[in-house]
Amino acid sequence: MVLSKTASDSDESIHSTFASRYVRTSLPRFKMPENSIPKDAAYQIINDELMLDGNPRLNLASFVTTWMEPECDKLMMASINKNYVDMDEYPVTTELQNRCVNMIAHLFNAPLEDSEAAVGVGTVGSSEAIMLAGLAFKRKWQNTRKAKGLPYDKPNIVTGANVQVCWEKFARYFEVELKEVKLSEGYYVMDPVKAVEMVDENTICVAAILGSTLNGEFEDVKLLNDLLLEKNKQTGWDTPIHVDAASGGFIAPFIYPELEWDFRLPLVKSINVSGHKYGLVYAGIGWVIWRSKEDLPEELIFHINYLGADQPTFTLNFSKGSSQVIAQYYQLIRLGFEGYRNVMENCHENAMVLKQGLENTGRFNIVSKDDGVPLVAFSLKDNKRHDEFEVAEMLRRFGWIVPAYTMPADAQHVTVLRVVIREDFSRTLAERLVLDITKVLHELDSMPSKLLAAAQQNGKNGKKTDMETQREVATYWKKFVSDIKTNRNKIC
């Protein structure tokens, strides 16, 4: 017997979405609900809450790609259910990854013969790529020390204090000392001379940054290579270089082709790059490339056969989606060298438009360089009454997300704002941002200073130096912004 019923006036199907009981009665937030709800109600509830997120296109803090062509979006959705690690089940996806590795290796001038395959792998991002490269350096250094009967329990890496936090994670997770070259006001990247001075027999590599997160500047990898070659010759060591090209790896080859930073330099043994930054793919893809097979110790490569065939694997993550790998291949063949160059040149030109607009206000010092990652880092010439943290907070009223932060040691007294220029940040938006920053400045000029009041409340009665006052102000505003974020999270 088929059971049926007559729809009543109270049938949920005829209710307005916003009048349904699923919206009128809140769901538990931290426990799974006892009963199911209709799919359209679940969608509506989540979609409504997500509206409170910022607009990714206006998130000028992020280097990560926020726009791709609709055709690439279709490819990603069509492959979203494929597990990247199942090489035997998805051989075409594996082939596309291998093509990407070889394309990127040639882009970085890897010394490959015509029929030689490049050594590299796709990762979730540059953080995983750096972990893998660091492990390779550590194991190779340990093997060399063991063979010579020398201690191998105190490895270290030399970097600048401007490195991304993933380097600190690697050092802590895998028990490697991180020796940081301190910065100084006006020089916000690693000094190659000081870096080489810090190298000792326990140094597994020196990490250079091609595109500092702080101000987009490229470090001088060529000078580092030359100085390190000389030190290796004097000491008998073989200290190598890793280039963290997370941001700059998809920029330098196209608009600075003469710049020597890659495998053209003999001590550069591995390079990582973020496909989800200027590789122009949505978040979730990075790459690490080794100079040769000898630079990746065989014992770090695992072989499995329970997915259907013998498969070598060297990753920290195992299962992950195939979509980003396929999207990377799409971008490489869709744009080609010409297309990437056009995108990067356009980003650079828009950065110069923004820089000029900020300089025309007469209120900012530009901290970034014209050559490097297309971004503009800038600080107020006079931040005694209102500072960069307050400018960043007020810009959110216009929808803009512009980060304000202090520089690392020994330049922590310097506070900057930073705008990253991505492919989808047009000249019109650059001009609009300058107008909105100007409005914020005029509004702040008419407001009493919270900064000095906060410094006076927290300080002593004695006279303070400008440096002490500036540090107190920076501390106050960092706490102020943190409290606002915390309160928002509590409300949500």
Side-chain angles (χ1 to χ4, degrees), residues 46-119:
I46 297 171
N47 187 62
D48 287 351
E49 196 160 1
L50 287 174
M51 289 193 301
L52 299 174
D53 266 348
N55 183 338
R57 295 276 302 274
L58 299 182
N59 179 10
L60 307 183
S62 178
F63 292 80
V64 175
T65 297
T66 53
W67 177 86
M68 296 184 73
E69 291 177 327
E71 290 76 10
C72 194
D73 289 345
K74 291 177 184 178
L75 283 172
M76 295 184 73
M77 289 305 300
S79 59
I80 201 166
N81 59 350
K82 290 183 180 180
N83 190 355
Y84 164 82
V85 80
D86 289 345
M87 301 177 187
D88 195 51
E89 285 80 359
Y90 307 119
V92 175
T93 299
T94 301
E95 171 64 17
L96 297 187
Q97 185 228 213
N98 293 338
R99 292 179 192 176
C100 289
V101 166
N102 281 272
M103 288 182 185
I104 295 169
H106 282 99
L107 190 65
F108 294 166
N109 295 293
L112 300 170
E113 301 295 333
D114 290 340
S115 58
E116 186 180 1
V119 181

Side-chain angles (χ1 to χ4, degrees), residues 325-379:
V325 172
I326 294 168
Q328 184 72 83
Y329 184 67
Y330 172 90
Q331 293 289 51
L332 290 173
I333 67 168
R334 159 75 174 96
L335 295 173
F337 194 94
E338 176 192 29
Y340 268 96
R341 183 182 60 215
N342 289 339
V343 170
M344 302 312 154
E345 287 178 347
N346 189 52
C347 289
H348 180 266
E349 290 170 5
N350 288 338
M352 293 304 99
V353 169
L354 177 61
K355 174 192 171 186
Q356 187 61 55
L358 293 170
E359 288 180 328
N360 289 343
T361 67
R363 303 286 293 272
F364 296 105
N365 291 315
I366 305 299
V367 176
S368 51
K369 306 294 184 182
D370 289 353
D371 296 337
V373 176
L375 62 79
V376 184
F378 51 103
S379 60

Side-chain angles (χ1 to χ4, degrees), residues 5 27 70 113 144 150 173 299 327 413 428 432:
K5 67 171 184 146
L27 294 171
E113 301 295 333
T144 300
L150 298 172
Y173 294 165
E299 63 262 37
H413 59 283
T428 301
R432 180 76 246 178

Side-chain angles (χ1 to χ4, degrees), residues 161-293:
N162 57 311
V163 292
Q164 214 263 359
V165 70
C166 60
W167 283 99
E168 298 177 36
K169 289 182 179 180
F170 168 77
R172 191 175 302 177
Y173 294 165
F174 297 103
E175 298 181 321
V176 176
E177 180 189 1
L178 197 65
K179 299 171 69 174
E180 294 185 343
V181 178
K182 304 302 182 184
L183 310 184
S184 60
E185 186 169 353
Y187 194 86
Y188 303 116
V189 292
M190 180 179 70
D191 184 336
V193 175
K194 293 179 180 178
V196 173
E197 288 174 354
M198 295 175 72
V199 169
D200 59 31
E201 63 179 344
N202 294 321
T203 302
I204 64 175
C205 79
V206 180
I209 312 298
L210 193 77
S212 172
T213 300
L214 301 178
N215 69 343
E217 189 174 348
F218 292 166
E219 293 183 344
D220 193 339
V221 188
K222 176 68 165 61
L223 177 58
L224 176 65
N225 178 84
D226 295 345
L227 293 172
L228 200 51
L229 277 173
E230 185 62 29
K231 183 157 188 173
N232 285 344
K233 183 179 179 181
Q234 293 173 359
T235 60
W237 302 334
D238 190 24
T239 308
I241 296 172
H242 174 84
V243 179
D244 179 356
S247 298
F250 276 113
I251 296 172
F254 303 108
I255 57 178
Y256 309 112
E258 303 303 318
L259 182 67
E260 293 184 54
W261 62 274
D262 52 19
F263 292 120
R264 286 170 288 183
L265 303 176
L267 290 183
V268 175
K269 303 300 184 181
S270 56
I271 300 171
N272 69 277
V273 64
S274 291
H276 59 222
K277 292 183 180 177
Y278 288 93
L280 308 180
V281 177
Y282 292 142
I285 185 67
W287 304 92
V288 56
I289 312 293
W290 283 272
R291 184 183 194 88
S292 66
K293 292 180 181 178

Side-chain angles (χ1 to χ4, degrees), residues 251-453:
I251 296 172
F254 303 108
I255 57 178
Y256 309 112
E258 303 303 318
L259 182 67
E260 293 184 54
W261 62 274
D262 52 19
F263 292 120
R264 286 170 288 183
L265 303 176
L267 290 183
V268 175
K269 303 300 184 181
S270 56
I271 300 171
N272 69 277
V273 64
S274 291
H276 59 222
K277 292 183 180 177
Y278 288 93
L280 308 180
V281 177
Y282 292 142
I285 185 67
W287 304 92
V288 56
I289 312 293
W290 283 272
R291 184 183 194 88
S292 66
K293 292 180 181 178
E294 290 71 29
D295 297 305
L296 176 57
E298 177 64 30
E299 63 262 37
L300 293 180
I301 301 174
F302 293 83
H303 293 267
I304 60 170
N305 62 10
Y306 52 77
L307 293 176
D310 179 67
Q311 299 174 5
T313 175
F314 178 42
T315 57
L316 297 180
N317 293 284
F318 196 60
S319 294
K320 60 182 175 183
S322 299
S323 297
Q324 272 75 10
V325 172
I326 294 168
Q328 184 72 83
Y329 184 67
Y330 172 90
Q331 293 289 51
L332 290 173
I333 67 168
R334 159 75 174 96
L335 295 173
F337 194 94
E338 176 192 29
Y340 268 96
R341 183 182 60 215
N342 289 339
V343 170
M344 302 312 154
E345 287 178 347
N346 189 52
C347 289
H348 180 266
E349 290 170 5
N350 288 338
M352 293 304 99
V353 169
L354 177 61
K355 174 192 171 186
Q356 187 61 55
L358 293 170
E359 288 180 328
N360 289 343
T361 67
R363 303 286 293 272
F364 296 105
N365 291 315
I366 305 299
V367 176
S368 51
K369 306 294 184 182
D370 289 353
D371 296 337
V373 176
L375 62 79
V376 184
F378 51 103
S379 60
L380 287 165
K381 290 182 178 180
D382 182 2
N383 60 4
K384 290 184 175 63
R385 295 186 70 251
H386 300 283
D387 78 351
E388 291 81 1
F389 291 101
E390 196 166 359
V391 173
E393 185 65 24
M394 293 189 69
L395 279 173
R396 285 179 175 267
R397 296 191 310 174
F398 296 92
W400 301 107
I401 302 173
V402 178
Y405 52 88
T406 55
M407 290 292 191
D410 285 332
Q412 61 266 37
H413 59 283
V414 178
T415 307
V416 299
L417 295 149
R418 187 195 68 212
V419 173
V420 178
I421 309 299
R422 299 188 301 270
E423 180 185 11
D424 56 349
F425 187 80
S426 65
R427 185 165 302 191
T428 301
L429 287 177
E431 293 168 348
R432 180 76 246 178
L433 177 59
V434 172
L435 289 175
D436 289 341
I437 288 175
T438 303
K439 291 178 183 177
V440 166
L441 293 175
H442 288 327
E443 188 170 349
L444 286 174
D445 288 342
S446 65
M447 296 170 60
S449 173
K450 297 179 181 178
L451 301 172
L452 292 179

